[in-house]
């Protein structure tokens, strides 16, 4: 079935209350053609991440959300509404669980068997939890990562006796791949850090879409044109992003063979699911039919290509480039494809982001349910008033206002930590109450957050105490957010890295201008990042212990740093 879905706009309710209205609008926003990869298939991003199990489930979700009471909770099992229970006004209006399988059965073949039977769906992280806001949702995290890479390169240059660069990517070339819902953020994140990016993408329509939405500057005509453009821009220290249509498993080894002077290498192809990674030698137009007809053969070929892809990345590592994994399971799949050096380079979290997690920092996002960009402009000003002394954050907000194109409902994201998120939430709620904002604001985050995920190939890779695979933490996070008054809460399996490799939780709150909303926002937006501080104190990070001591996070006596 194919139809056009778009979230309602304005200040008039189409549901019985703003909490249910927010969930309804965000469900529909996830499937807006401006937002979703394949809305006709209910796929939001990541190749297979869906907002609802099927169209019948989507229609049922829409009906139930439209009539949901302030003391009722809708239960959603892998994209299908399965019950409405009477709870209370502090309870979430929606509880969602997606893709969760008993560990021994948590494999792609078993998941696909159940999916074909219509019993489950893959919710990714923010697709099945209805808080995806388009490519911007991953943009600031990618921006923060490349800013951290820039700072590391600057420190390295200083140690080598060169002039300090101020932590900019000016004069550097980043080579990566993937221009889908997540990877599409990479070129803009690099140029916002003043660097040059060459991004390989096998699907020409994705590359064209990124140019249309201003995430990518230009698409090269061929590899020679691409190399010429990025080499000149690097020499001139001019920010530029260039897309190149091709297969990363072919192009990256060729760039290495030609000796292109590359400073940074990473990847954001959909490697978490082998059926979402195009093998070398397979045409884009044959992709879906081949994967559906011969999944085992396709998987084997995809892993062989991923092995070649990663082998080239390690080749750049050996040549002196800064190389890191961006959390899509490429290394794990390449290892299964027979390449034994796949884990020679680190994941981005242990390499650059973990100190932020120790402060409870992570991707705080919000969307204007009014549909009016002026409401986001007003919240941008509020964030600058609250946190303007954080120059990196202020620079991000200013650049985002100038350079980020909205997809669907206008939205924004910025990384805020423990002791900050609730201040923003309360300010937004005051702005709704005063009429400064024309309608309520929905506030959530990525599941890629400081205390809401267990993912040994990404967020919890190389934990100090070896607790990479302990999945109690995301479950506790979901329970805490449910108890604190979140508007909807989700627990997912496999998002970002694939089946069997992660458990993660999400929460969303609604700032509707009421006193009740203020009480909920203060609790949720304090306790949610507080879980990140607690998790990292427990794992033995001194930075997290210091944050807990300074900001009053209560840690039981006897917990060892």
């Amino acid at each position: 079935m194919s139809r056009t879905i778009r979230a309602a706009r304005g200040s008039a309710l189409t549901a019985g209350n703003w909490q249910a209205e927010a969930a309804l609008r965000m469900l529909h926003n996830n499937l807006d053609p401006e937002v979703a990869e394949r809305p006709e298939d209910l796929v939001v991003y990541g190749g297979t991440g869906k907002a609802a199990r099927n169209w019948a489930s989507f229609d049922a979700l829409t009906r139930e959300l439209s009539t949901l009471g302030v003391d009722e909770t809708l239960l959603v099992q892998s994209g299908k509404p399965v019950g409405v229970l009477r709870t209370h006004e502090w309870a979430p209006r929606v509880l969602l669980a997606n893709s969760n399988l008993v560990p021994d059965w948590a494999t792609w073949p078993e998941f696909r068997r159940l999916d074909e039977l219509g019993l489950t769906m893959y919710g990714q992280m923010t697709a099945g939890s209805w808080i995806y806001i388009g490519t911007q949702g991953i943009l600031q995290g990618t921006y923060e990562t490349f800013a951290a890479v820039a700072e590391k390169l600057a420190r390295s240059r200083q140690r080598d006796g060169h002039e300090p660069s101020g932590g900019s990517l000016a004069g550097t070339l980043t080579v990566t791949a993937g221009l889908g819902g997540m990877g599409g953020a990479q070129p803009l994140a690099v140029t916002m850090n003043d660097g040059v990016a060459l991004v390989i993408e096998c699907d020409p329509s994705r590359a064209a879409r990124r140019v249309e939405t201003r995430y990518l500057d230009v698409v090269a005509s061929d590899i020679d044109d691409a190399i010429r453009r990025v080499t000149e821009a690097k020499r001139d220290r001019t920010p530029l992003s260039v897309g190149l249509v091709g297969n990363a498993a072919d192009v990256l080894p060729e760039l290495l063979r030609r000796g292109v002077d590359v400073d940074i290498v990473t990847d954001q192809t959909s490697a978490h699911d082998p059926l979402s990674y195009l093998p070398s030698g397979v045409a884009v137009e044959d992709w879906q039919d081949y994967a559906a007809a011969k999944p085992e053969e396709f998987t084997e070929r995809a892993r062989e290509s991923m092995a070649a892809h990663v082998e080239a990345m390690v080749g750049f590592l050996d040549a002196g480039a800064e190389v890191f994994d961006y959390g899509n399971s490429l290394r794990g799949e390449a290892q299964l494809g027979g390449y034994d050096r796949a884990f020679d380079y680190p994941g981005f979290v242990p390499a650059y982001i973990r100190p932020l997690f120790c402060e409870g920092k992570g991707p705080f996002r919000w969307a204007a349910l009014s549909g009016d960009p002026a409401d986001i402009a007003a919240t941008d000003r509020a964030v600058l008033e609250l946190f303007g002394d954080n120059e990196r954050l202020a620079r991000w907000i200013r650049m985002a206002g100038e350079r980020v194109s909205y997809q669907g409902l206008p939205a924004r994201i910025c990384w805020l930590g423990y002791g900050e998120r609730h201040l923003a939430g309360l300010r937004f709620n005051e702005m709704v109450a005063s009429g400064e904002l024309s309608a309520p604001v929905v506030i959530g985050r990525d599941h890629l957050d400081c205390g809401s995920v267990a993912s040994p190939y990404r967020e919890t890779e190389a934990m100090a105490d070896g607790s990479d695979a302990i999945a109690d933490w995301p479950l506790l996070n979901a329970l805490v957010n449910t108890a604190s008054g979140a508007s909807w809460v989700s627990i997912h399996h496999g998002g970002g890295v694939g089946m069997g490799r992660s458990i993660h939780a999400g929460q969303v709150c609604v700032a509707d201008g009421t006193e009740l909303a203020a009480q909920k926002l203060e609790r949720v937006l304090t306790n949610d990042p507080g879980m990140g501080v607690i998790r990292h104190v427990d794992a033995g990070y001194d930075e997290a212990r210091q944050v807990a001591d300074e900001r009053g996070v209560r840690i039981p006596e006897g917990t060892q740093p």
Side-chain angles (χ1 to χ4, degrees):
M1 181 181 294
S2 178
R3 59 174 107 160
T4 299
I5 305 298
R6 194 166 183 260
R9 266 73 168 164
S11 58
L13 284 167
T14 63
N17 57 83
W18 272 111
Q19 290 185 69
E21 179 78 23
L24 179 61
R25 292 194 189 189
M26 293 308 293
L27 165 63
H28 287 189
N29 192 61
N30 268 13
L31 295 170
D32 188 313
E34 295 180 6
V35 177
E37 282 185 2
R38 296 200 320 274
E40 67 276 10
D41 298 322
L42 296 162
V43 172
V44 181
Y45 72 92
T48 53
K50 299 172 73 173
R53 191 182 302 184
N54 49 46
W55 282 107
S57 293
F58 171 83
D59 289 336
L61 287 165
T62 296
R63 286 194 305 271
E64 295 299 334
L65 289 169
S66 297
T67 59
L68 199 65
V70 294
D71 63 347
E72 293 180 321
T73 297
L74 173 64
L75 305 179
V76 182
Q77 182 261 319
S78 288
K80 175 185 175 182
V82 293
V84 176
L85 300 175
R86 186 179 181 192
T87 53
H88 52 84
E89 63 181 2
W90 273 82
R93 297 286 68 80
V94 190
L95 292 172
L96 307 101
N98 286 303
S99 320
N100 294 289
L101 300 179
V102 173
D104 270 1
W105 284 262
T107 64
W108 277 120
E110 178 63 11
F111 170 81
R112 292 189 184 109
R113 183 185 74 82
L114 296 168
D115 190 25
E116 288 172 5
L117 291 172
L119 300 175
T120 189
M121 76 164 198
Y122 191 57
Q124 264 288 358
M125 286 190 152
T126 53
S129 59
W130 310 339
I131 191 59
Y132 185 65
I133 58 171
T135 304
Q136 184 189 174
I138 197 65
L139 177 60
Q140 199 204 357
T142 312
Y143 166 81
E144 291 284 351
T145 298
F146 280 112
V149 173
E151 290 172 355
K152 180 179 179 180
L153 292 178
R155 290 192 298 270
S156 177
R157 284 192 291 267
Q158 282 184 279
R159 285 195 299 269
D160 293 340
H162 299 293
E163 289 293 320
S165 68
S168 164
L169 288 180
T172 67
L173 171 60
T174 296
V175 173
T176 183
L179 285 170
M182 296 287 98
Q186 297 177 102
L188 184 53
V190 172
T191 57
M192 287 174 103
N193 279 288
D194 302 320
V196 178
L198 173 57
V199 189
I200 306 158
E201 170 55 55
C202 62
D203 186 342
S205 67
R206 288 182 178 174
R209 183 177 185 180
R210 295 305 163 201
V211 173
E212 291 169 4
T213 56
R214 299 192 298 158
Y215 279 86
L216 179 70
D217 292 328
V218 65
V219 177
S221 57
D222 55 33
I223 190 170
D224 295 318
D225 181 41
I227 292 173
R228 178 186 61 78
R229 288 174 182 267
V230 298
T231 300
E232 290 177 359
K234 176 181 176 177
R235 181 196 62 212
D236 297 340
R237 300 175 68 84
T238 302
L240 177 70
S241 59
V242 177
L244 175 61
V245 176
N247 192 302
D250 300 325
V251 174
L252 209 63
E254 178 62 14
L255 295 175
L256 181 65
R257 187 189 69 78
R258 294 192 186 196
V260 177
D261 187 14
V262 176
D263 302 280
I264 303 159
V265 182
T266 186
D267 175 73
Q268 277 201 53
T269 54
S270 293
H272 65 281
D273 179 355
L275 299 189
S276 295
Y277 183 101
L278 184 67
S280 176
V282 178
V284 171
E285 55 268 25
D286 298 330
W287 187 346
Q288 298 302 323
D289 289 343
Y290 184 4
K294 299 180 179 180
E296 292 182 2
E297 179 180 299
F298 190 99
T299 294
E300 183 176 353
R301 290 189 62 179
R303 285 173 173 161
E304 288 174 356
S305 294
M306 284 189 252
H309 184 166
V310 171
E311 184 175 9
M313 293 178 71
V314 172
F316 280 109
L317 177 72
D318 292 342
E322 181 77 8
V323 181
F324 62 93
D325 181 272
Y326 208 84
N328 57 355
S329 282
L330 181 67
R331 293 172 300 171
E333 293 297 326
Q335 189 176 63
L336 291 172
Y339 185 57
D340 60 6
R341 291 188 63 193
F343 283 86
D344 275 21
Y345 57 88
F348 76 105
V349 172
Y352 315 112
I353 300 299
R354 185 145 294 139
L356 297 178
F357 281 1
C358 289
E359 296 182 55
K361 285 191 175 179
F364 177 87
R365 63 177 61 173
W366 63 97
L369 296 178
S370 65
D372 188 350
D375 281 356
I376 292 300
T379 59
D380 282 351
R381 291 191 295 272
V383 169
L384 290 174
E385 290 168 5
L386 287 168
F387 311 113
D389 56 345
N390 181 335
E391 179 50 38
R392 193 150 97 185
L393 172 61
R395 181 171 182 265
W396 157 258
I397 290 291
R398 289 192 294 268
M399 286 194 299
E402 296 167 358
R403 301 179 63 178
V404 172
S405 296
Y406 297 130
Q407 296 168 260
L409 290 172
R412 183 68 76 229
I413 186 169
C414 69
W415 278 45
L416 294 177
Y418 182 81
E420 295 175 328
R421 295 190 203 184
H422 75 285
L423 298 178
L426 290 172
R427 179 72 183 99
F428 295 170
N429 198 59
E430 292 169 358
M431 295 167 76
V432 174
S434 69
E436 191 174 349
L437 300 180
S438 59
V441 171
V442 65
I443 300 171
R445 58 164 171 76
D446 199 342
H447 291 204
L448 190 171
D449 198 27
C450 52
S452 65
V453 61
S455 186
Y457 284 169
R458 197 160 81 173
E459 291 87 350
T460 55
E461 178 180 341
M463 293 295 289
D465 63 345
S467 61
D468 303 20
I470 299 295
D472 297 335
W473 297 100
L475 303 181
L476 286 171
N477 178 273
L479 291 169
V480 164
N481 283 317
T482 298
S484 300
S487 297
W488 65 93
V489 178
S490 53
I491 299 176
H492 294 194
H493 168 213
V497 291
M499 299 304 294
R501 292 171 175 159
S502 68
I503 301 291
H504 42 95
Q507 65 80 16
V508 183
C509 298
V510 180
D512 63 9
T514 64
E515 177 56 32
L516 178 60
Q519 293 177 46
K520 292 179 177 182
L521 288 163
E522 183 168 20
R523 284 167 174 78
V524 173
L525 298 180
T526 298
N527 295 341
D528 184 42
M531 282 296 303
V533 177
I534 292 169
R535 200 276 184 256
H536 288 85
V537 168
D538 190 76
Y541 289 92
D542 291 338
E543 303 98 313
R545 167 65 69 171
Q546 183 176 349
V547 169
D549 290 343
E550 291 176 351
R551 304 182 195 175
V553 181
R554 185 175 172 184
I555 306 294
E557 293 298 322
T559 301
Q560 296 299 313

